[in-house]
Amino acid sequence: MAREVSTTGSKKLKTLMKQFNEHFPYIRIKLLSSNMAAKAERGETIFGLDIEKTLSEVREKTGSGKISFTGRKNVKTIEREFDEIFGLYAQICYTKADGKRYYTTGSDDSKTLTVLNREKEAAGCKKDIWN
């Protein structure tokens, strides 16, 4: 059975994050506004978007759009689609066994969600359990 997560502007961020975590437990998705992303790149402390809001409420690009992805879609494609459709900065992340959190970079961005999830599990990364 294919693992699929889909979203439109009416979906709450917490629902999207929970569904993503259920399908890919060793990786997670983080969404930021472009302003927050710029701060993060400068090394400033940031706080994520309000997860009680819908994508329509936090999006920076107007219009309609839907993103649907399965485990066959690669990381960089998902991140690009969130930018193009919703104007949001998306990052796929993981947590190492020591509790340190990382964003994917380099060759990880070319991997599919399924491959990345399996690799992070094999590497001993922590499961992100949605509360």
Side-chain angles (χ1 to χ4, degrees):
M1 181 172 134
R3 297 175 174 192
E4 181 178 57
V5 178
S6 63
T7 190
T8 62
S10 62
K11 186 174 277 189
K12 283 190 174 187
L13 297 181
K14 71 178 184 179
T15 303
L16 171 64
M17 296 164 114
K18 180 179 180 181
Q19 289 174 341
F20 187 92
N21 184 238
E22 288 169 352
H23 294 306
F24 310 106
Y26 293 92
I27 56 178
R28 67 186 185 287
I29 189 166
K30 182 168 184 128
L31 298 172
L32 302 169
S33 68
S34 57
N35 182 39
M36 290 176 188
K39 287 181 178 182
E41 287 176 7
R42 293 191 301 264
E44 295 178 33
T45 301
I46 57 164
F47 300 96
L49 295 168
D50 182 349
I51 63 171
E52 294 295 330
K53 292 188 175 183
T54 65
L55 278 164
S56 290
E57 292 174 308
V58 299
R59 72 186 302 158
E60 295 184 354
K61 286 188 179 177
T62 57
S64 61
K66 176 181 178 182
I67 297 174
S68 180
F69 44 92
T70 66
R72 293 184 303 262
K73 196 172 266 192
N74 67 32
V75 170
K76 66 183 170 192
T77 301
I78 293 165
E79 293 174 348
R80 179 179 40 80
E81 286 178 350
F82 270 94
D83 179 44
E84 290 174 356
I85 295 169
F86 297 113
L88 296 173
Y89 183 72
Q91 277 288 186
I92 305 300
C93 314
Y94 58 95
T95 305
K96 288 195 171 184
D98 63 5
K100 292 184 181 177
R101 294 181 166 203
Y102 295 91
Y103 295 131
T104 57
T105 60
S107 64
D108 280 346
D109 285 345
S110 296
K111 295 175 183 171
T112 66
L113 293 175
T114 298
V115 167
L116 184 64
N117 189 66
R118 286 183 187 149
E119 285 182 3
K120 297 309 175 191
E121 178 183 16
C125 290
K126 289 186 174 187
K127 264 188 176 182
D128 277 302
I129 300 170
W130 183 264
N131 297 322

Short mmCIF file of all heavy atoms in Angstrom, two decimals, residues 44-110:
data_model
loop_
_atom_site.label_atom_id
_atom_site.label_comp_id
_atom_site.label_asym_id
_atom_site.label_seq_id
_atom_site.Cartn_x
_atom_site.Cartn_y
_atom_site.Cartn_z
N GLU A 44 19.56 32.92 13.87
CA GLU A 44 18.70 33.44 14.93
C GLU A 44 17.73 32.35 15.40
O GLU A 44 17.39 31.45 14.65
CB GLU A 44 17.89 34.64 14.41
CG GLU A 44 18.74 35.83 14.03
CD GLU A 44 17.91 36.98 13.48
OE1 GLU A 44 16.76 37.15 13.92
OE2 GLU A 44 18.42 37.69 12.59
N THR A 45 17.31 32.45 16.63
CA THR A 45 16.33 31.52 17.17
C THR A 45 14.97 31.81 16.54
O THR A 45 14.57 32.96 16.43
CB THR A 45 16.21 31.67 18.70
OG1 THR A 45 17.50 31.42 19.27
CG2 THR A 45 15.21 30.70 19.27
N ILE A 46 14.31 30.75 16.13
CA ILE A 46 12.98 30.91 15.51
C ILE A 46 12.00 29.97 16.17
O ILE A 46 12.37 28.96 16.77
CB ILE A 46 13.02 30.63 13.99
CG1 ILE A 46 13.57 29.22 13.73
CG2 ILE A 46 13.80 31.67 13.25
CD1 ILE A 46 13.31 28.72 12.36
N PHE A 47 10.75 30.30 16.04
CA PHE A 47 9.67 29.45 16.48
C PHE A 47 8.82 29.15 15.26
O PHE A 47 8.64 30.01 14.41
CB PHE A 47 8.85 30.15 17.57
CG PHE A 47 9.68 30.48 18.78
CD1 PHE A 47 10.24 31.75 18.94
CD2 PHE A 47 9.94 29.52 19.74
CE1 PHE A 47 11.03 32.04 20.03
CE2 PHE A 47 10.72 29.80 20.85
CZ PHE A 47 11.27 31.07 21.00
N GLY A 48 8.32 27.94 15.18
CA GLY A 48 7.54 27.53 14.02
C GLY A 48 6.21 28.26 13.91
O GLY A 48 5.82 29.03 14.78
N LEU A 49 5.53 27.98 12.83
CA LEU A 49 4.20 28.53 12.60
C LEU A 49 3.22 27.94 13.61
O LEU A 49 3.45 26.86 14.16
CB LEU A 49 3.75 28.18 11.18
CG LEU A 49 4.56 28.81 10.05
CD1 LEU A 49 4.20 28.16 8.72
CD2 LEU A 49 4.33 30.31 10.00
N ASP A 50 2.13 28.62 13.83
CA ASP A 50 1.09 28.16 14.74
C ASP A 50 0.42 26.93 14.13
O ASP A 50 -0.28 27.03 13.11
CB ASP A 50 0.06 29.28 14.96
CG ASP A 50 -1.04 28.92 15.92
OD1 ASP A 50 -1.17 27.73 16.29
OD2 ASP A 50 -1.79 29.83 16.31
N ILE A 51 0.62 25.77 14.73
CA ILE A 51 0.12 24.52 14.16
C ILE A 51 -1.40 24.37 14.27
O ILE A 51 -1.96 23.46 13.67
CB ILE A 51 0.82 23.29 14.76
CG1 ILE A 51 0.55 23.18 16.26
CG2 ILE A 51 2.31 23.32 14.45
CD1 ILE A 51 1.04 21.88 16.87
N GLU A 52 -2.03 25.26 15.00
CA GLU A 52 -3.50 25.24 15.08
C GLU A 52 -4.14 25.92 13.87
O GLU A 52 -5.35 25.82 13.67
CB GLU A 52 -3.98 25.93 16.36
CG GLU A 52 -3.59 25.19 17.63
CD GLU A 52 -4.24 23.83 17.77
OE1 GLU A 52 -5.36 23.62 17.26
OE2 GLU A 52 -3.62 22.95 18.39
N LYS A 53 -3.36 26.60 13.06
CA LYS A 53 -3.87 27.29 11.88
C LYS A 53 -3.84 26.39 10.66
O LYS A 53 -3.09 25.42 10.60
CB LYS A 53 -3.05 28.55 11.62
CG LYS A 53 -3.25 29.60 12.69
CD LYS A 53 -2.59 30.89 12.32
CE LYS A 53 -2.91 31.95 13.38
NZ LYS A 53 -2.37 33.23 13.03
N THR A 54 -4.66 26.74 9.67
CA THR A 54 -4.66 26.00 8.41
C THR A 54 -3.58 26.56 7.50
O THR A 54 -3.08 27.68 7.70
CB THR A 54 -6.02 26.13 7.70
OG1 THR A 54 -6.22 27.50 7.32
CG2 THR A 54 -7.16 25.64 8.57
N LEU A 55 -3.27 25.81 6.47
CA LEU A 55 -2.30 26.29 5.48
C LEU A 55 -2.78 27.60 4.84
O LEU A 55 -1.98 28.48 4.57
CB LEU A 55 -2.06 25.24 4.41
CG LEU A 55 -1.06 24.16 4.80
CD1 LEU A 55 -1.17 22.96 3.88
CD2 LEU A 55 0.34 24.71 4.80
N SER A 56 -4.08 27.73 4.62
CA SER A 56 -4.63 28.97 4.05
C SER A 56 -4.36 30.17 4.94
O SER A 56 -4.14 31.28 4.45
CB SER A 56 -6.13 28.85 3.82
OG SER A 56 -6.40 27.95 2.78
N GLU A 57 -4.37 29.95 6.24
CA GLU A 57 -4.15 31.06 7.17
C GLU A 57 -2.69 31.49 7.27
O GLU A 57 -2.41 32.63 7.61
CB GLU A 57 -4.65 30.66 8.57
CG GLU A 57 -6.15 30.51 8.65
CD GLU A 57 -6.61 29.97 9.98
OE1 GLU A 57 -6.11 28.93 10.43
OE2 GLU A 57 -7.49 30.63 10.59
N VAL A 58 -1.75 30.59 6.95
CA VAL A 58 -0.33 30.93 7.09
C VAL A 58 0.39 31.07 5.76
O VAL A 58 1.51 31.57 5.71
CB VAL A 58 0.42 29.90 7.97
CG1 VAL A 58 -0.17 29.86 9.37
CG2 VAL A 58 0.43 28.52 7.34
N ARG A 59 -0.25 30.66 4.69
CA ARG A 59 0.42 30.69 3.38
C ARG A 59 0.79 32.11 2.98
O ARG A 59 0.13 33.07 3.37
CB ARG A 59 -0.46 30.03 2.32
CG ARG A 59 -1.68 30.86 1.94
CD ARG A 59 -2.63 30.16 1.01
NE ARG A 59 -2.00 29.76 -0.22
CZ ARG A 59 -2.46 28.80 -1.00
NH1 ARG A 59 -3.56 28.15 -0.70
NH2 ARG A 59 -1.83 28.49 -2.11
N GLU A 60 1.83 32.23 2.19
CA GLU A 60 2.29 33.53 1.73
C GLU A 60 1.96 33.78 0.26
O GLU A 60 2.14 34.88 -0.22
CB GLU A 60 3.79 33.66 1.99
CG GLU A 60 4.09 33.66 3.48
CD GLU A 60 5.55 33.89 3.80
OE1 GLU A 60 6.39 33.95 2.89
OE2 GLU A 60 5.85 34.02 4.99
N LYS A 61 1.51 32.77 -0.44
CA LYS A 61 1.08 32.92 -1.83
C LYS A 61 -0.41 32.66 -1.87
O LYS A 61 -0.91 31.71 -1.28
CB LYS A 61 1.80 31.93 -2.75
CG LYS A 61 3.23 32.29 -3.02
CD LYS A 61 3.82 31.39 -4.07
CE LYS A 61 5.25 31.79 -4.35
NZ LYS A 61 5.89 30.88 -5.31
N THR A 62 -1.12 33.49 -2.59
CA THR A 62 -2.57 33.30 -2.70
C THR A 62 -2.88 32.37 -3.86
O THR A 62 -2.05 32.16 -4.74
CB THR A 62 -3.29 34.65 -2.91
OG1 THR A 62 -2.75 35.27 -4.08
CG2 THR A 62 -3.10 35.55 -1.71
N GLY A 63 -4.07 31.85 -3.85
CA GLY A 63 -4.49 30.96 -4.91
C GLY A 63 -4.84 29.60 -4.32
O GLY A 63 -4.79 29.39 -3.12
N SER A 64 -5.20 28.70 -5.21
CA SER A 64 -5.53 27.36 -4.74
C SER A 64 -4.38 26.44 -5.10
O SER A 64 -3.61 26.70 -6.01
CB SER A 64 -6.82 26.87 -5.37
OG SER A 64 -6.67 26.81 -6.77
N GLY A 65 -4.30 25.38 -4.39
CA GLY A 65 -3.25 24.42 -4.68
C GLY A 65 -3.34 23.24 -3.75
O GLY A 65 -3.89 23.33 -2.67
N LYS A 66 -2.77 22.17 -4.23
CA LYS A 66 -2.77 20.93 -3.46
C LYS A 66 -1.41 20.28 -3.62
O LYS A 66 -0.83 20.31 -4.71
CB LYS A 66 -3.86 19.99 -3.99
CG LYS A 66 -3.89 18.65 -3.31
CD LYS A 66 -4.97 17.77 -3.91
CE LYS A 66 -4.94 16.41 -3.23
NZ LYS A 66 -5.91 15.49 -3.78
N ILE A 67 -0.92 19.72 -2.54
CA ILE A 67 0.31 18.95 -2.60
C ILE A 67 -0.04 17.55 -2.13
O ILE A 67 -0.67 17.36 -1.10
CB ILE A 67 1.41 19.55 -1.70
CG1 ILE A 67 1.78 20.95 -2.19
CG2 ILE A 67 2.63 18.64 -1.66
CD1 ILE A 67 2.75 21.67 -1.29
N SER A 68 0.38 16.59 -2.90
CA SER A 68 0.17 15.20 -2.56
C SER A 68 1.49 14.48 -2.76
O SER A 68 2.14 14.66 -3.79
CB SER A 68 -0.90 14.60 -3.47
OG SER A 68 -1.12 13.26 -3.14
N PHE A 69 1.90 13.72 -1.77
CA PHE A 69 3.15 13.01 -1.94
C PHE A 69 3.12 11.64 -1.28
O PHE A 69 2.46 11.43 -0.28
CB PHE A 69 4.35 13.81 -1.45
CG PHE A 69 4.19 14.49 -0.13
CD1 PHE A 69 4.57 13.88 1.04
CD2 PHE A 69 3.67 15.78 -0.07
CE1 PHE A 69 4.44 14.53 2.26
CE2 PHE A 69 3.54 16.44 1.14
CZ PHE A 69 3.93 15.80 2.31
N THR A 70 3.81 10.73 -1.93
CA THR A 70 3.98 9.38 -1.42
C THR A 70 5.45 9.21 -1.06
O THR A 70 6.26 10.13 -1.25
CB THR A 70 3.59 8.33 -2.48
OG1 THR A 70 4.52 8.42 -3.56
CG2 THR A 70 2.18 8.53 -2.98
N GLY A 71 5.79 8.05 -0.61
CA GLY A 71 7.17 7.76 -0.26
C GLY A 71 8.12 7.79 -1.43
O GLY A 71 9.33 7.83 -1.26
N ARG A 72 7.59 7.79 -2.65
CA ARG A 72 8.44 7.83 -3.85
C ARG A 72 8.91 9.23 -4.21
O ARG A 72 9.77 9.41 -5.05
CB ARG A 72 7.70 7.22 -5.03
CG ARG A 72 7.45 5.73 -4.87
CD ARG A 72 6.79 5.15 -6.11
NE ARG A 72 5.55 5.84 -6.41
CZ ARG A 72 4.34 5.41 -6.07
NH1 ARG A 72 4.21 4.29 -5.43
NH2 ARG A 72 3.27 6.09 -6.39
N LYS A 73 8.31 10.25 -3.60
CA LYS A 73 8.69 11.63 -3.93
C LYS A 73 9.93 12.01 -3.14
O LYS A 73 10.07 11.67 -1.98
CB LYS A 73 7.54 12.57 -3.60
CG LYS A 73 7.69 13.94 -4.26
CD LYS A 73 6.46 14.79 -4.09
CE LYS A 73 5.55 14.65 -5.27
NZ LYS A 73 4.48 15.65 -5.29
N ASN A 74 10.85 12.72 -3.79
CA ASN A 74 12.08 13.06 -3.07
C ASN A 74 11.94 14.36 -2.28
O ASN A 74 11.03 15.15 -2.49
CB ASN A 74 13.31 13.07 -4.00
CG ASN A 74 13.30 14.16 -5.03
OD1 ASN A 74 12.78 15.24 -4.82
ND2 ASN A 74 13.88 13.88 -6.17
N VAL A 75 12.84 14.52 -1.35
CA VAL A 75 12.81 15.62 -0.38
C VAL A 75 12.80 16.97 -1.07
O VAL A 75 11.97 17.83 -0.76
CB VAL A 75 14.01 15.50 0.59
CG1 VAL A 75 14.15 16.74 1.45
CG2 VAL A 75 13.87 14.25 1.46
N LYS A 76 13.71 17.19 -2.02
CA LYS A 76 13.80 18.52 -2.65
C LYS A 76 12.54 18.88 -3.42
O LYS A 76 12.17 20.05 -3.48
CB LYS A 76 15.05 18.64 -3.52
CG LYS A 76 15.08 17.76 -4.74
CD LYS A 76 16.39 17.91 -5.48
CE LYS A 76 16.50 16.85 -6.56
NZ LYS A 76 17.84 16.79 -7.10
N THR A 77 11.84 17.89 -3.97
CA THR A 77 10.60 18.16 -4.69
C THR A 77 9.52 18.64 -3.73
O THR A 77 8.80 19.61 -4.02
CB THR A 77 10.14 16.91 -5.46
OG1 THR A 77 11.16 16.52 -6.38
CG2 THR A 77 8.83 17.15 -6.18
N ILE A 78 9.40 17.99 -2.59
CA ILE A 78 8.41 18.40 -1.59
C ILE A 78 8.70 19.82 -1.11
O ILE A 78 7.80 20.67 -1.04
CB ILE A 78 8.39 17.42 -0.41
CG1 ILE A 78 7.85 16.08 -0.90
CG2 ILE A 78 7.56 17.97 0.75
CD1 ILE A 78 8.10 14.95 0.04
N GLU A 79 9.95 20.09 -0.79
CA GLU A 79 10.32 21.42 -0.31
C GLU A 79 10.03 22.48 -1.37
O GLU A 79 9.51 23.56 -1.06
CB GLU A 79 11.79 21.42 0.11
CG GLU A 79 12.05 20.56 1.32
CD GLU A 79 13.51 20.40 1.69
OE1 GLU A 79 14.40 20.77 0.90
OE2 GLU A 79 13.76 19.86 2.79
N ARG A 80 10.31 22.18 -2.63
CA ARG A 80 10.06 23.12 -3.72
C ARG A 80 8.56 23.35 -3.91
O ARG A 80 8.10 24.48 -4.11
CB ARG A 80 10.68 22.62 -5.03
CG ARG A 80 10.45 23.52 -6.22
CD ARG A 80 11.10 23.01 -7.49
NE ARG A 80 11.01 21.59 -7.71
CZ ARG A 80 9.94 20.94 -8.19
NH1 ARG A 80 8.86 21.62 -8.50
NH2 ARG A 80 9.95 19.63 -8.37
N GLU A 81 7.76 22.30 -3.84
CA GLU A 81 6.32 22.43 -4.03
C GLU A 81 5.68 23.29 -2.94
O GLU A 81 4.79 24.09 -3.24
CB GLU A 81 5.66 21.05 -4.08
CG GLU A 81 5.93 20.32 -5.37
CD GLU A 81 5.31 18.93 -5.42
OE1 GLU A 81 4.82 18.43 -4.38
OE2 GLU A 81 5.32 18.34 -6.51
N PHE A 82 6.10 23.15 -1.70
CA PHE A 82 5.55 24.01 -0.65
C PHE A 82 5.88 25.47 -0.92
O PHE A 82 5.07 26.35 -0.68
CB PHE A 82 6.05 23.58 0.74
CG PHE A 82 5.15 22.57 1.40
CD1 PHE A 82 5.41 21.22 1.28
CD2 PHE A 82 4.02 22.97 2.10
CE1 PHE A 82 4.58 20.28 1.86
CE2 PHE A 82 3.17 22.04 2.68
CZ PHE A 82 3.46 20.69 2.56
N ASP A 83 7.07 25.72 -1.45
CA ASP A 83 7.44 27.09 -1.78
C ASP A 83 6.61 27.61 -2.95
O ASP A 83 6.05 28.70 -2.89
CB ASP A 83 8.93 27.16 -2.13
CG ASP A 83 9.38 28.55 -2.50
OD1 ASP A 83 8.99 29.52 -1.82
OD2 ASP A 83 10.12 28.69 -3.50
N GLU A 84 6.50 26.83 -4.01
CA GLU A 84 5.79 27.28 -5.21
C GLU A 84 4.29 27.42 -5.00
O GLU A 84 3.68 28.34 -5.51
CB GLU A 84 6.06 26.31 -6.36
CG GLU A 84 7.48 26.36 -6.88
CD GLU A 84 7.78 25.30 -7.92
OE1 GLU A 84 6.91 24.44 -8.20
OE2 GLU A 84 8.91 25.31 -8.44
N ILE A 85 3.69 26.50 -4.26
CA ILE A 85 2.23 26.48 -4.12
C ILE A 85 1.74 27.34 -2.95
O ILE A 85 0.77 28.08 -3.08
CB ILE A 85 1.71 25.03 -4.00
CG1 ILE A 85 2.00 24.30 -5.32
CG2 ILE A 85 0.22 24.99 -3.67
CD1 ILE A 85 1.78 22.80 -5.28
N PHE A 86 2.42 27.24 -1.82
CA PHE A 86 1.96 27.94 -0.62
C PHE A 86 2.87 29.11 -0.20
O PHE A 86 2.51 29.87 0.69
CB PHE A 86 1.83 26.97 0.56
CG PHE A 86 0.80 25.90 0.35
CD1 PHE A 86 1.16 24.58 0.22
CD2 PHE A 86 -0.55 26.23 0.28
CE1 PHE A 86 0.20 23.58 0.03
CE2 PHE A 86 -1.51 25.24 0.09
CZ PHE A 86 -1.13 23.92 -0.05
N GLY A 87 4.04 29.22 -0.82
CA GLY A 87 4.97 30.28 -0.42
C GLY A 87 5.58 30.04 0.94
O GLY A 87 5.99 30.97 1.62
N LEU A 88 5.66 28.78 1.34
CA LEU A 88 6.21 28.43 2.64
C LEU A 88 7.52 27.69 2.48
O LEU A 88 7.73 26.95 1.53
CB LEU A 88 5.22 27.55 3.42
CG LEU A 88 3.90 28.21 3.80
CD1 LEU A 88 2.96 27.18 4.41
CD2 LEU A 88 4.12 29.38 4.74
N TYR A 89 8.37 27.89 3.46
CA TYR A 89 9.67 27.23 3.50
C TYR A 89 9.49 25.91 4.22
O TYR A 89 9.16 25.88 5.41
CB TYR A 89 10.66 28.13 4.22
CG TYR A 89 12.07 27.61 4.28
CD1 TYR A 89 12.88 27.59 3.16
CD2 TYR A 89 12.60 27.17 5.49
CE1 TYR A 89 14.18 27.13 3.22
CE2 TYR A 89 13.91 26.71 5.56
CZ TYR A 89 14.69 26.69 4.42
OH TYR A 89 15.98 26.23 4.49
N ALA A 90 9.63 24.79 3.51
CA ALA A 90 9.48 23.46 4.10
C ALA A 90 10.84 22.81 4.24
O ALA A 90 11.70 22.97 3.37
CB ALA A 90 8.58 22.60 3.22
N GLN A 91 11.03 22.10 5.32
CA GLN A 91 12.25 21.34 5.54
C GLN A 91 11.90 19.97 6.07
O GLN A 91 11.03 19.84 6.94
CB GLN A 91 13.16 22.03 6.57
CG GLN A 91 14.00 23.12 6.02
CD GLN A 91 15.16 22.66 5.14
OE1 GLN A 91 15.95 23.46 4.75
NE2 GLN A 91 15.29 21.41 4.78
N ILE A 92 12.55 18.97 5.54
CA ILE A 92 12.44 17.63 6.08
C ILE A 92 13.59 17.49 7.08
O ILE A 92 14.73 17.84 6.78
CB ILE A 92 12.52 16.55 4.98
CG1 ILE A 92 11.46 16.82 3.90
CG2 ILE A 92 12.38 15.16 5.57
CD1 ILE A 92 10.02 16.82 4.38
N CYS A 93 13.27 17.00 8.27
CA CYS A 93 14.22 16.96 9.38
C CYS A 93 14.28 15.57 9.99
O CYS A 93 13.44 14.72 9.71
CB CYS A 93 13.77 17.93 10.48
SG CYS A 93 13.25 19.54 9.90
N TYR A 94 15.28 15.39 10.86
CA TYR A 94 15.40 14.14 11.61
C TYR A 94 16.10 14.43 12.93
O TYR A 94 16.72 15.48 13.10
CB TYR A 94 16.14 13.07 10.80
CG TYR A 94 17.53 13.48 10.37
CD1 TYR A 94 18.65 13.14 11.13
CD2 TYR A 94 17.73 14.22 9.21
CE1 TYR A 94 19.92 13.52 10.73
CE2 TYR A 94 18.99 14.60 8.81
CZ TYR A 94 20.09 14.25 9.57
OH TYR A 94 21.34 14.63 9.18
N THR A 95 15.99 13.48 13.87
CA THR A 95 16.60 13.63 15.19
C THR A 95 17.54 12.46 15.42
O THR A 95 17.11 11.30 15.39
CB THR A 95 15.52 13.65 16.29
OG1 THR A 95 14.57 14.68 15.99
CG2 THR A 95 16.14 13.91 17.66
N LYS A 96 18.81 12.77 15.65
CA LYS A 96 19.79 11.71 15.91
C LYS A 96 19.55 11.12 17.30
O LYS A 96 18.83 11.68 18.12
CB LYS A 96 21.21 12.27 15.80
CG LYS A 96 21.61 12.57 14.37
CD LYS A 96 23.09 12.75 14.26
CE LYS A 96 23.50 12.82 12.81
NZ LYS A 96 24.95 12.91 12.67
N ALA A 97 20.20 10.00 17.56
CA ALA A 97 20.02 9.28 18.82
C ALA A 97 20.36 10.15 20.03
O ALA A 97 19.78 9.97 21.10
CB ALA A 97 20.87 8.01 18.83
N ASP A 98 21.28 11.11 19.86
CA ASP A 98 21.67 11.98 20.98
C ASP A 98 20.67 13.12 21.21
O ASP A 98 20.87 13.95 22.09
CB ASP A 98 23.07 12.54 20.77
CG ASP A 98 23.18 13.43 19.53
OD1 ASP A 98 22.17 13.72 18.86
OD2 ASP A 98 24.33 13.85 19.22
N GLY A 99 19.60 13.16 20.41
CA GLY A 99 18.57 14.18 20.58
C GLY A 99 18.78 15.43 19.75
O GLY A 99 17.91 16.30 19.72
N LYS A 100 19.89 15.54 19.05
CA LYS A 100 20.15 16.71 18.21
C LYS A 100 19.34 16.59 16.93
O LYS A 100 19.26 15.53 16.33
CB LYS A 100 21.63 16.86 17.90
CG LYS A 100 22.44 17.21 19.13
CD LYS A 100 23.88 17.44 18.78
CE LYS A 100 24.66 17.78 20.05
NZ LYS A 100 26.08 17.94 19.77
N ARG A 101 18.75 17.73 16.54
CA ARG A 101 17.88 17.77 15.36
C ARG A 101 18.63 18.39 14.18
O ARG A 101 19.38 19.34 14.35
CB ARG A 101 16.61 18.56 15.66
CG ARG A 101 15.77 17.86 16.69
CD ARG A 101 14.51 18.64 16.98
NE ARG A 101 13.60 17.78 17.72
CZ ARG A 101 12.30 17.95 17.76
NH1 ARG A 101 11.74 18.95 17.13
NH2 ARG A 101 11.54 17.12 18.43
N TYR A 102 18.34 17.85 13.00
CA TYR A 102 19.01 18.31 11.78
C TYR A 102 18.01 18.45 10.64
O TYR A 102 17.03 17.71 10.55
CB TYR A 102 20.09 17.29 11.36
CG TYR A 102 21.20 17.17 12.36
CD1 TYR A 102 21.13 16.23 13.38
CD2 TYR A 102 22.31 17.99 12.29
CE1 TYR A 102 22.15 16.11 14.31
CE2 TYR A 102 23.33 17.88 13.21
CZ TYR A 102 23.24 16.94 14.22
OH TYR A 102 24.25 16.83 15.15
N TYR A 103 18.32 19.39 9.74
CA TYR A 103 17.61 19.51 8.47
C TYR A 103 18.35 18.68 7.45
O TYR A 103 19.57 18.54 7.52
CB TYR A 103 17.60 20.96 7.97
CG TYR A 103 16.84 21.93 8.82
CD1 TYR A 103 17.41 23.14 9.20
CD2 TYR A 103 15.54 21.67 9.22
CE1 TYR A 103 16.70 24.05 9.97
CE2 TYR A 103 14.82 22.58 10.00
CZ TYR A 103 15.42 23.76 10.36
OH TYR A 103 14.72 24.66 11.11
N THR A 104 17.63 18.14 6.47
CA THR A 104 18.30 17.42 5.40
C THR A 104 19.06 18.41 4.53
O THR A 104 18.64 19.54 4.33
CB THR A 104 17.30 16.64 4.53
OG1 THR A 104 16.34 17.56 4.01
CG2 THR A 104 16.62 15.54 5.31
N THR A 105 20.19 17.95 4.01
CA THR A 105 21.01 18.74 3.10
C THR A 105 21.71 17.79 2.14
O THR A 105 21.69 16.58 2.33
CB THR A 105 22.09 19.56 3.84
OG1 THR A 105 22.95 18.65 4.53
CG2 THR A 105 21.52 20.57 4.79
N GLY A 106 22.33 18.36 1.13
CA GLY A 106 23.15 17.59 0.22
C GLY A 106 22.44 16.41 -0.41
O GLY A 106 21.34 16.52 -0.92
N SER A 107 23.08 15.23 -0.31
CA SER A 107 22.55 14.04 -0.98
C SER A 107 21.22 13.59 -0.39
O SER A 107 20.42 12.95 -1.07
CB SER A 107 23.57 12.90 -0.92
OG SER A 107 23.80 12.51 0.42
N ASP A 108 20.94 13.91 0.89
CA ASP A 108 19.65 13.54 1.48
C ASP A 108 18.49 14.19 0.73
O ASP A 108 17.40 13.62 0.66
CB ASP A 108 19.58 13.92 2.96
CG ASP A 108 20.29 12.94 3.87
OD1 ASP A 108 20.62 11.81 3.41
OD2 ASP A 108 20.53 13.28 5.03
N ASP A 109 18.70 15.37 0.19
CA ASP A 109 17.62 16.07 -0.52
C ASP A 109 17.21 15.38 -1.81
O ASP A 109 16.13 15.62 -2.32
CB ASP A 109 18.02 17.52 -0.80
CG ASP A 109 17.96 18.39 0.44
OD1 ASP A 109 17.36 17.96 1.44
OD2 ASP A 109 18.52 19.50 0.40
N SER A 110 18.06 14.50 -2.34
CA SER A 110 17.74 13.76 -3.56
C SER A 110 17.08 12.42 -3.28
O SER A 110 16.65 11.73 -4.20
CB SER A 110 19.01 13.53 -4.38
OG SER A 110 19.53 14.76 -4.81
#
